[in-house]
Amino acid sequence: MIRVGINGYGTIGKRVADAVRAQPDMEVVGVAKTRPNFEAQGAVDKGFDLYAAIEERKPLFADAGIDLAGDVDELVKASDIIVDACPSGIGADNTDLYREYDTPALLQGGESADVVDASFNARSNYNEVEGCDLVRVVSCNTTGLSRLIAPLSESYGIEKVRTTLVRRGGDPAQTGRGPINDIVPNPVSLPSHHGPDVNTIFPDLDIDTLGLKVPATLMHMHSVNVTLSAEPTASEVRELLESERRTFVIPEWLGVDGAGALKELAQDAGRPRADIWENCIWGESISMEGPDLYLFQAIHQESDVVPENVDAIRAVLARASQEESIEMTDEAMGLDNPLVGTTHDTVVTTE
Ligand code: NAD
């Protein structure tokens, strides 16, 4: 069993802990928290050993009646690998600790690419991180774009990618984030950081990205234009994307008209926390104009990187091939259970 420690148990960390626990070849050694709160209590309720991330704050846990298994150093020492899901920038500060115990670590997309040996997306560059000490699982948006770019590039070749990212202002629990009622070019100058971030996975890709922030919490939305080297039909592209594991092509007949309906669908499907691990691509948006592909996809920022973290663990430790790992991860997490039980070509007759 691969012994995995989780440092930082918030939006991403708690999801990764559940996904790791579900794997047949992994166990969670414990999770580290800075303070007692509902998530710390949640970890205890789930039976995860809790470690103190900051020594001076240990009395706060005692005051809250929460037992600790030890300090974060002990967690790092006892783990084969650490998933660091601390807020942006803190992961980089933690790298000395991981080096001290010679424990490889996965950082998240909020960290700078310069801090790590390699950036990671399971579909695109699984085989490039074996044996690395520090690997960054790229951000939710970069993960979503990479999952799209990899099959398109392999099947048709890519001349240029242009994407506008309409980004949620904050996660549902981030009360302090905005904008409250505004639409903000973010950044106002080009490119947004997403294009260069995609280049950490596809170094030679020609990509321009623009970003906006809107007062929404549910998902990000990408308006994508890819100039392909070949000229497939829209149906061919659709079939290609339907054949991918972590892309869900939304059938027209579902009547899913936005992120709200998608989240409702995930709840109805019994997904934990209504998570949507796949890219959600509107089937009827997949259009070809000459060599230009256009489509809209929604990305669930809180969860699409979760299966990627699980795969990165096996990739770094060389415990499974790309195909084996992705299949194992998806099966164990329930990503294999489709959001709907039928495919787009199911005939639905309406009155
Ligand atoms: P979060 O704020 O929800 O969770 C971070 C957790 O780390 C919190 O529980 C916080 O108390 C804890 N923490 C703070 N300092 C710590 C320390 N020194 N040691 C241990 N724990 C500490 O943040 P998040 O949204 O889970 O983001 C984590 C990382 O994942 C960031 O790099 C972020 O950019 C990236 N990411 C976030 C999202 C998203 O939409 N939330 C998506 C993809 C990637």
Side-chain angles (χ1 to χ4, degrees):
M1 296 289 264
I2 306 171
R3 290 167 299 155
V4 183
I6 317 278
N7 191 15
Y9 191 77
T11 305
I12 301 298
K14 66 185 176 187
R15 286 172 165 82
V16 171
D18 288 350
V20 166
R21 176 181 261 179
Q23 304 304 312
D25 58 341
M26 299 183 190
E27 63 182 316
V28 177
V29 180
V31 306
K33 282 285 300 171
T34 52
R35 64 193 164 100
N37 68 354
F38 72 95
E39 282 166 330
Q41 184 60 49
V44 173
D45 292 344
K46 283 177 179 247
F48 291 128
D49 280 348
L50 199 61
Y51 290 78
I54 300 173
E55 203 180 346
E56 307 84 74
R57 297 215 193 140
K58 280 162 89 171
L60 297 178
F61 288 91
D63 292 347
I66 294 179
D67 289 336
L68 291 170
D71 293 321
V72 67
D73 303 55
E74 295 167 74
L75 175 64
V76 174
K77 197 175 167 192
S79 301
D80 297 324
I81 189 163
I82 289 286
V83 177
D84 182 301
C86 292
S88 305
I90 295 185
D93 295 344
N94 288 337
T95 55
D96 287 344
L97 173 66
Y98 307 141
R99 283 204 185 89
E100 190 183 330
Y101 291 97
D102 209 13
T103 306
L106 306 180
L107 306 190
Q108 305 303 312
E111 304 301 330
S112 159
D114 305 338
V115 175
V116 295
D117 304 320
S119 295
F120 179 84
N121 170 255
R123 174 64 179 79
S124 314
N125 70 342
Y126 184 95
N127 295 317
E128 289 171 20
V129 299
E130 182 179 330
C132 289
D133 294 326
L134 291 171
V135 167
R136 185 179 70 114
V137 175
V138 290
S139 74
C140 47
N141 282 311
T142 304
T143 294
L145 288 172
S146 299
R147 286 177 181 168
L148 194 60
I149 288 163
L152 292 174
S153 172
E154 285 163 17
S155 295
Y156 310 122
I158 290 180
E159 301 296 321
K160 174 101 189 170
V161 180
R162 299 173 187 84
T163 299
T164 300
L165 300 99
V166 180
R167 300 154 63 203
R168 59 91 177 99
D171 293 339
Q174 287 179 307
T175 47
R177 297 278 283 261
I180 302 298
N181 180 17
D182 208 342
I183 303 167
V184 181
N186 182 272
V188 69
S189 57
L190 270 60
S192 70
H193 69 273
H194 307 94
D197 203 38
V198 171
N199 285 134
T200 66
I201 302 290
F202 300 95
D204 301 326
L205 186 76
D206 188 359
I207 178 167
D208 290 340
T209 52
L210 299 83
L212 298 149
K213 273 193 182 177
V214 296
T217 61
L218 299 178
M219 299 180 84
H220 297 299
M221 193 76 74
H222 296 173
S223 167
V224 180
N225 163 221
V226 184
T227 306
L228 300 168
S229 308
E231 291 196 26
T233 64
S235 305
E236 286 167 341
V237 175
R238 181 176 180 146
E239 274 169 32
L240 173 72
L241 297 176
E242 281 172 343
S243 71
E244 288 287 307
R245 275 190 164 273
R246 293 178 184 167
T247 55
F248 169 54
V249 178
I250 307 167
E252 288 82 334
W253 59 264
L254 278 187
V256 167
D257 60 359
L262 271 173
K263 290 289 287 172
E264 193 74 9
L265 173 63
Q267 287 193 52
D268 290 350
R271 286 285 179 89
R273 301 185 175 94
D275 282 349
I276 308 175
W277 302 298
E278 313 90 323
N279 292 20
C280 296
I281 302 164
W282 272 271
E284 68 262 57
S285 76
I286 300 172
S287 314
M288 290 297 303
E289 295 288 336
D292 275 313
L293 165 68
Y294 294 90
L295 58 83
F296 287 118
Q297 67 172 0
I299 301 295
H300 185 220
Q301 74 280 357
E302 296 171 284
S303 69
D304 75 330
V305 298
V306 174
E308 306 294 328
N309 273 274
V310 175
D311 290 328
I313 291 169
R314 293 194 193 94
V316 167
L317 301 177
R319 297 297 178 95
S321 70
Q322 179 185 36
E323 210 179 305
E324 284 165 354
S325 177
I326 291 175
E327 198 176 324
M328 212 186 312
T329 302
D330 289 0
E331 196 178 321
M333 286 180 68
L335 206 153
D336 267 352
N337 304 333
L339 281 163
V340 285
T342 48
T343 59
H344 78 283
D345 43 46
T346 302
V347 178
V348 175
T349 47
T350 48
E351 296 303 314

PDB file of all heavy atoms in Angstrom, residues 195-216:
ATOM      1  N   GLY A 195      -2.679  30.481 -20.249  1.00  0.00           N
ATOM      2  CA  GLY A 195      -1.957  30.029 -21.447  1.00  0.00           C
ATOM      3  C   GLY A 195      -0.539  29.577 -21.103  1.00  0.00           C
ATOM      4  O   GLY A 195      -0.158  28.426 -21.382  1.00  0.00           O
ATOM      5  N   PRO A 196       0.267  30.435 -20.452  1.00  0.00           N
ATOM      6  CA  PRO A 196       1.605  29.999 -20.041  1.00  0.00           C
ATOM      7  C   PRO A 196       1.560  28.766 -19.139  1.00  0.00           C
ATOM      8  O   PRO A 196       2.451  27.915 -19.186  1.00  0.00           O
ATOM      9  CB  PRO A 196       2.153  31.221 -19.279  1.00  0.00           C
ATOM     10  CG  PRO A 196       1.422  32.380 -19.886  1.00  0.00           C
ATOM     11  CD  PRO A 196       0.057  31.879 -20.245  1.00  0.00           C
ATOM     12  N   ASP A 197       0.493  28.638 -18.336  1.00  0.00           N
ATOM     13  CA  ASP A 197       0.401  27.460 -17.467  1.00  0.00           C
ATOM     14  C   ASP A 197       0.174  26.197 -18.306  1.00  0.00           C
ATOM     15  O   ASP A 197       0.770  25.147 -18.024  1.00  0.00           O
ATOM     16  CB  ASP A 197      -0.736  27.638 -16.451  1.00  0.00           C
ATOM     17  CG  ASP A 197      -0.528  26.766 -15.223  1.00  0.00           C
ATOM     18  OD1 ASP A 197       0.637  26.630 -14.796  1.00  0.00           O
ATOM     19  OD2 ASP A 197      -1.505  26.212 -14.711  1.00  0.00           O
ATOM     20  N   VAL A 198      -0.663  26.306 -19.329  1.00  0.00           N
ATOM     21  CA  VAL A 198      -0.856  25.144 -20.219  1.00  0.00           C
ATOM     22  C   VAL A 198       0.482  24.780 -20.885  1.00  0.00           C
ATOM     23  O   VAL A 198       0.765  23.602 -21.120  1.00  0.00           O
ATOM     24  CB  VAL A 198      -1.955  25.431 -21.270  1.00  0.00           C
ATOM     25  CG1 VAL A 198      -2.002  24.323 -22.318  1.00  0.00           C
ATOM     26  CG2 VAL A 198      -3.318  25.564 -20.600  1.00  0.00           C
ATOM     27  N   ASN A 199       1.312  25.791 -21.132  1.00  0.00           N
ATOM     28  CA  ASN A 199       2.620  25.510 -21.741  1.00  0.00           C
ATOM     29  C   ASN A 199       3.560  24.735 -20.811  1.00  0.00           C
ATOM     30  O   ASN A 199       4.555  24.174 -21.278  1.00  0.00           O
ATOM     31  CB  ASN A 199       3.306  26.811 -22.193  1.00  0.00           C
ATOM     32  CG  ASN A 199       2.697  27.385 -23.455  1.00  0.00           C
ATOM     33  OD1 ASN A 199       2.429  28.583 -23.555  1.00  0.00           O
ATOM     34  ND2 ASN A 199       2.443  26.528 -24.435  1.00  0.00           N
ATOM     35  N   THR A 200       3.249  24.663 -19.517  1.00  0.00           N
ATOM     36  CA  THR A 200       4.068  23.806 -18.642  1.00  0.00           C
ATOM     37  C   THR A 200       3.775  22.330 -18.928  1.00  0.00           C
ATOM     38  O   THR A 200       4.564  21.464 -18.592  1.00  0.00           O
ATOM     39  CB  THR A 200       3.829  24.082 -17.126  1.00  0.00           C
ATOM     40  OG1 THR A 200       2.490  23.718 -16.766  1.00  0.00           O
ATOM     41  CG2 THR A 200       4.094  25.530 -16.776  1.00  0.00           C
ATOM     42  N   ILE A 201       2.643  22.059 -19.549  1.00  0.00           N
ATOM     43  CA  ILE A 201       2.278  20.686 -19.946  1.00  0.00           C
ATOM     44  C   ILE A 201       2.577  20.460 -21.431  1.00  0.00           C
ATOM     45  O   ILE A 201       3.084  19.409 -21.820  1.00  0.00           O
ATOM     46  CB  ILE A 201       0.775  20.423 -19.669  1.00  0.00           C
ATOM     47  CG1 ILE A 201       0.443  20.645 -18.187  1.00  0.00           C
ATOM     48  CG2 ILE A 201       0.375  19.016 -20.119  1.00  0.00           C
ATOM     49  CD1 ILE A 201       1.012  19.605 -17.245  1.00  0.00           C
ATOM     50  N   PHE A 202       2.246  21.462 -22.258  1.00  0.00           N
ATOM     51  CA  PHE A 202       2.491  21.383 -23.713  1.00  0.00           C
ATOM     52  C   PHE A 202       3.423  22.548 -24.093  1.00  0.00           C
ATOM     53  O   PHE A 202       2.946  23.619 -24.488  1.00  0.00           O
ATOM     54  CB  PHE A 202       1.174  21.511 -24.489  1.00  0.00           C
ATOM     55  CG  PHE A 202       0.166  20.456 -24.168  1.00  0.00           C
ATOM     56  CD1 PHE A 202      -0.820  20.674 -23.218  1.00  0.00           C
ATOM     57  CD2 PHE A 202       0.192  19.226 -24.822  1.00  0.00           C
ATOM     58  CE1 PHE A 202      -1.760  19.702 -22.917  1.00  0.00           C
ATOM     59  CE2 PHE A 202      -0.741  18.246 -24.531  1.00  0.00           C
ATOM     60  CZ  PHE A 202      -1.714  18.481 -23.570  1.00  0.00           C
ATOM     61  N   PRO A 203       4.743  22.336 -23.955  1.00  0.00           N
ATOM     62  CA  PRO A 203       5.683  23.454 -24.128  1.00  0.00           C
ATOM     63  C   PRO A 203       5.622  24.121 -25.507  1.00  0.00           C
ATOM     64  O   PRO A 203       5.846  25.319 -25.619  1.00  0.00           O
ATOM     65  CB  PRO A 203       7.052  22.800 -23.921  1.00  0.00           C
ATOM     66  CG  PRO A 203       6.791  21.505 -23.237  1.00  0.00           C
ATOM     67  CD  PRO A 203       5.405  21.083 -23.599  1.00  0.00           C
ATOM     68  N   ASP A 204       5.277  23.361 -26.554  1.00  0.00           N
ATOM     69  CA  ASP A 204       5.322  23.922 -27.911  1.00  0.00           C
ATOM     70  C   ASP A 204       3.976  24.434 -28.401  1.00  0.00           C
ATOM     71  O   ASP A 204       3.863  24.877 -29.541  1.00  0.00           O
ATOM     72  CB  ASP A 204       5.832  22.852 -28.892  1.00  0.00           C
ATOM     73  CG  ASP A 204       7.224  22.373 -28.497  1.00  0.00           C
ATOM     74  OD1 ASP A 204       8.002  23.205 -27.977  1.00  0.00           O
ATOM     75  OD2 ASP A 204       7.513  21.172 -28.669  1.00  0.00           O
ATOM     76  N   LEU A 205       2.959  24.363 -27.569  1.00  0.00           N
ATOM     77  CA  LEU A 205       1.609  24.738 -28.015  1.00  0.00           C
ATOM     78  C   LEU A 205       1.480  26.253 -28.156  1.00  0.00           C
ATOM     79  O   LEU A 205       1.902  27.006 -27.285  1.00  0.00           O
ATOM     80  CB  LEU A 205       0.582  24.230 -26.986  1.00  0.00           C
ATOM     81  CG  LEU A 205      -0.880  24.422 -27.366  1.00  0.00           C
ATOM     82  CD1 LEU A 205      -1.288  23.390 -28.415  1.00  0.00           C
ATOM     83  CD2 LEU A 205      -1.776  24.282 -26.129  1.00  0.00           C
ATOM     84  N   ASP A 206       0.862  26.679 -29.264  1.00  0.00           N
ATOM     85  CA  ASP A 206       0.567  28.096 -29.476  1.00  0.00           C
ATOM     86  C   ASP A 206      -0.809  28.360 -28.859  1.00  0.00           C
ATOM     87  O   ASP A 206      -1.829  27.884 -29.362  1.00  0.00           O
ATOM     88  CB  ASP A 206       0.555  28.363 -30.992  1.00  0.00           C
ATOM     89  CG  ASP A 206       0.448  29.844 -31.313  1.00  0.00           C
ATOM     90  OD1 ASP A 206       0.363  30.658 -30.365  1.00  0.00           O
ATOM     91  OD2 ASP A 206       0.443  30.185 -32.512  1.00  0.00           O
ATOM     92  N   ILE A 207      -0.844  29.078 -27.756  1.00  0.00           N
ATOM     93  CA  ILE A 207      -2.121  29.291 -27.049  1.00  0.00           C
ATOM     94  C   ILE A 207      -2.230  30.709 -26.500  1.00  0.00           C
ATOM     95  O   ILE A 207      -1.269  31.229 -25.927  1.00  0.00           O
ATOM     96  CB  ILE A 207      -2.310  28.242 -25.906  1.00  0.00           C
ATOM     97  CG1 ILE A 207      -3.624  28.490 -25.139  1.00  0.00           C
ATOM     98  CG2 ILE A 207      -1.121  28.199 -24.953  1.00  0.00           C
ATOM     99  CD1 ILE A 207      -4.041  27.336 -24.220  1.00  0.00           C
ATOM    100  N   ASP A 208      -3.374  31.330 -26.739  1.00  0.00           N
ATOM    101  CA  ASP A 208      -3.700  32.624 -26.137  1.00  0.00           C
ATOM    102  C   ASP A 208      -4.900  32.430 -25.224  1.00  0.00           C
ATOM    103  O   ASP A 208      -5.879  31.785 -25.618  1.00  0.00           O
ATOM    104  CB  ASP A 208      -4.109  33.647 -27.207  1.00  0.00           C
ATOM    105  CG  ASP A 208      -2.933  34.079 -28.076  1.00  0.00           C
ATOM    106  OD1 ASP A 208      -1.777  33.907 -27.639  1.00  0.00           O
ATOM    107  OD2 ASP A 208      -3.188  34.584 -29.186  1.00  0.00           O
ATOM    108  N   THR A 209      -4.841  32.996 -24.030  1.00  0.00           N
ATOM    109  CA  THR A 209      -5.995  32.906 -23.132  1.00  0.00           C
ATOM    110  C   THR A 209      -6.349  34.282 -22.587  1.00  0.00           C
ATOM    111  O   THR A 209      -5.481  35.122 -22.359  1.00  0.00           O
ATOM    112  CB  THR A 209      -5.724  31.961 -21.935  1.00  0.00           C
ATOM    113  OG1 THR A 209      -4.495  32.347 -21.304  1.00  0.00           O
ATOM    114  CG2 THR A 209      -5.631  30.517 -22.367  1.00  0.00           C
ATOM    115  N   LEU A 210      -7.637  34.499 -22.402  1.00  0.00           N
ATOM    116  CA  LEU A 210      -8.162  35.722 -21.787  1.00  0.00           C
ATOM    117  C   LEU A 210      -8.988  35.286 -20.586  1.00  0.00           C
ATOM    118  O   LEU A 210      -9.653  34.252 -20.637  1.00  0.00           O
ATOM    119  CB  LEU A 210      -9.097  36.468 -22.741  1.00  0.00           C
ATOM    120  CG  LEU A 210      -8.575  36.974 -24.075  1.00  0.00           C
ATOM    121  CD1 LEU A 210      -8.600  35.883 -25.121  1.00  0.00           C
ATOM    122  CD2 LEU A 210      -9.445  38.136 -24.538  1.00  0.00           C
ATOM    123  N   GLY A 211      -8.969  36.093 -19.529  1.00  0.00           N
ATOM    124  CA  GLY A 211      -9.724  35.713 -18.338  1.00  0.00           C
ATOM    125  C   GLY A 211     -10.696  36.791 -17.893  1.00  0.00           C
ATOM    126  O   GLY A 211     -10.443  37.988 -18.042  1.00  0.00           O
ATOM    127  N   LEU A 212     -11.809  36.345 -17.357  1.00  0.00           N
ATOM    128  CA  LEU A 212     -12.795  37.226 -16.739  1.00  0.00           C
ATOM    129  C   LEU A 212     -13.187  36.603 -15.424  1.00  0.00           C
ATOM    130  O   LEU A 212     -13.120  35.374 -15.278  1.00  0.00           O
ATOM    131  CB  LEU A 212     -14.072  37.292 -17.588  1.00  0.00           C
ATOM    132  CG  LEU A 212     -13.995  37.846 -18.989  1.00  0.00           C
ATOM    133  CD1 LEU A 212     -15.035  37.183 -19.864  1.00  0.00           C
ATOM    134  CD2 LEU A 212     -14.259  39.339 -18.930  1.00  0.00           C
ATOM    135  N   LYS A 213     -13.624  37.430 -14.465  1.00  0.00           N
ATOM    136  CA  LYS A 213     -14.213  36.882 -13.250  1.00  0.00           C
ATOM    137  C   LYS A 213     -15.652  37.358 -13.148  1.00  0.00           C
ATOM    138  O   LYS A 213     -15.949  38.526 -13.439  1.00  0.00           O
ATOM    139  CB  LYS A 213     -13.438  37.349 -12.008  1.00  0.00           C
ATOM    140  CG  LYS A 213     -12.274  36.450 -11.673  1.00  0.00           C
ATOM    141  CD  LYS A 213     -11.755  36.754 -10.285  1.00  0.00           C
ATOM    142  CE  LYS A 213     -10.553  35.880  -9.984  1.00  0.00           C
ATOM    143  NZ  LYS A 213      -9.975  36.172  -8.688  1.00  0.00           N
ATOM    144  N   VAL A 214     -16.515  36.468 -12.716  1.00  0.00           N
ATOM    145  CA  VAL A 214     -17.930  36.813 -12.582  1.00  0.00           C
ATOM    146  C   VAL A 214     -18.416  36.390 -11.193  1.00  0.00           C
ATOM    147  O   VAL A 214     -17.796  35.536 -10.553  1.00  0.00           O
ATOM    148  CB  VAL A 214     -18.770  36.106 -13.677  1.00  0.00           C
ATOM    149  CG1 VAL A 214     -18.386  36.602 -15.061  1.00  0.00           C
ATOM    150  CG2 VAL A 214     -18.627  34.589 -13.592  1.00  0.00           C
ATOM    151  N   PRO A 215     -19.510  37.005 -10.729  1.00  0.00           N
ATOM    152  CA  PRO A 215     -20.003  36.662  -9.386  1.00  0.00           C
ATOM    153  C   PRO A 215     -20.750  35.330  -9.386  1.00  0.00           C
ATOM    154  O   PRO A 215     -21.979  35.283  -9.300  1.00  0.00           O
ATOM    155  CB  PRO A 215     -20.921  37.832  -9.039  1.00  0.00           C
ATOM    156  CG  PRO A 215     -21.354  38.377 -10.345  1.00  0.00           C
ATOM    157  CD  PRO A 215     -20.264  38.120 -11.324  1.00  0.00           C
ATOM    158  N   ALA A 216     -20.004  34.251  -9.520  1.00  0.00           N
ATOM    159  CA  ALA A 216     -20.581  32.901  -9.508  1.00  0.00           C
ATOM    160  C   ALA A 216     -19.668  32.024  -8.669  1.00  0.00           C
ATOM    161  O   ALA A 216     -18.478  32.333  -8.503  1.00  0.00           O
ATOM    162  CB  ALA A 216     -20.670  32.362 -10.934  1.00  0.00           C
TER     163      ALA A 216
END
